[in-house]
Amino acid sequence: MEELTGRTAVVIGGGSGIGRGTALGLGAEGMRVVVADIERASADAVADEIARGGGNASAAQVDGTDRAALDALADRVVAEHGAANLLSTNVGVVADHPLDAGTEQDWAWVIEFNLLSAVRAVNAFLPHMRAGREPGHIVITASLAALMAVPGNVGGLHLGVYTATKHALLGYGETLRGELAADGIGVSVLCPGTVRSNLVATSARNRPARHGGPLPEPTAAQDGPWMPPEAVGPVVVRGIKANRLHILTHPEARPVIEARHAALIDDFRFFAGA
């Protein structure tokens, strides 16, 4: 999808963090951006930010895990803008537990938000994208954790449950790309490294009652040279225009990924008797 100007993008989870950075980047490219978030005030703020920069944006409140709400959003976007050309899914949560300490309720919460939210969003918007018979693109936000296993913790957080769902997202996105190629709809999986966001805080305060209700506000700070979310947007735009399968924000992580794949190849050699 090389031409973005004048087309319509929907960014779910666009009110903060990576979603906000993506929305800003798409707005700067001249897209009409619908910023959708469970927190309406955050969506409004990002839409206003895009407008102040000369872009075209509107806001919507949506629960990214609610299929009926996503269907209604898709219908509204098409009714108001005539098409939904680009979908960006950014809903996600973190459960701070070692793998053996996570309850089934913890797993259900993270799986629904990190994996099923993307599946539901795609299923809601894809019929409209196909019907529009225009070039389209879907960006599924996973994580650098989708390409590796993170031992211990990062920034004081245990990421085992999170990592498992991000690996699932990668498989989903890669398979979806193959299935949609004939429709002229590209699919990219965004695999960012450490980006400054309020993911842990939004995870805590927006955990729904069906998964145990809100958690106490976290106190841990993000230390180190984390990427600002504003820097993510231009990388996403570049990946969309080139129809890249993986969108990578932290090229300095390449040696870690190469080491993981080298270990996999070594296992192939071992079982081949080499």
Side-chain angles (χ1 to χ4, degrees), residues 80-249:
E80 292 181 356
H81 300 291
N85 306 106
L86 191 148
L87 173 66
S88 167
T89 69
N90 302 275
V91 176
V93 295
V94 174
D96 182 16
H97 301 291
L99 286 172
D100 62 348
T103 65
E104 288 197 12
Q105 186 178 60
D106 293 325
W107 279 94
W109 172 43
V110 180
I111 289 171
E112 181 174 20
F113 277 68
N114 287 6
L115 176 60
L116 292 181
S117 66
V119 174
R120 289 168 183 162
V122 169
N123 288 347
F125 279 87
L126 185 55
H128 295 287
M129 297 177 77
R130 280 177 164 148
R133 299 186 183 279
E134 297 180 5
H137 206 91
I138 297 169
V139 180
I140 297 167
T141 296
S143 168
L144 190 61
L147 304 174
M148 57 188 289
V150 183
N153 61 70
V154 175
L157 296 173
H158 293 90
L159 296 179
V161 180
Y162 173 90
T163 297
T165 58
K166 295 301 184 178
H167 276 251
L169 264 184
L170 180 64
Y172 171 71
E174 290 182 343
T175 305
L176 185 67
R177 180 182 174 94
E179 292 183 354
L180 298 186
D183 295 308
I185 299 172
V187 178
S188 297
V189 183
L190 173 58
C191 299
T194 50
V195 175
R196 191 170 300 280
S197 74
N198 58 352
L199 175 62
V200 179
T202 56
S203 299
R205 67 173 173 261
N206 289 309
R207 190 173 73 161
R210 66 183 179 275
H211 293 304
L215 292 166
E217 285 285 327
T219 57
Q222 292 177 336
D223 298 321
W226 292 45
M227 174 181 282
E230 296 85 355
V232 175
V235 180
V236 173
V237 167
R238 184 182 175 200
I240 292 169
K241 288 184 173 182
N243 192 24
R244 302 301 300 185
L245 170 54
H246 306 100
I247 299 179
L248 306 169
T249 61

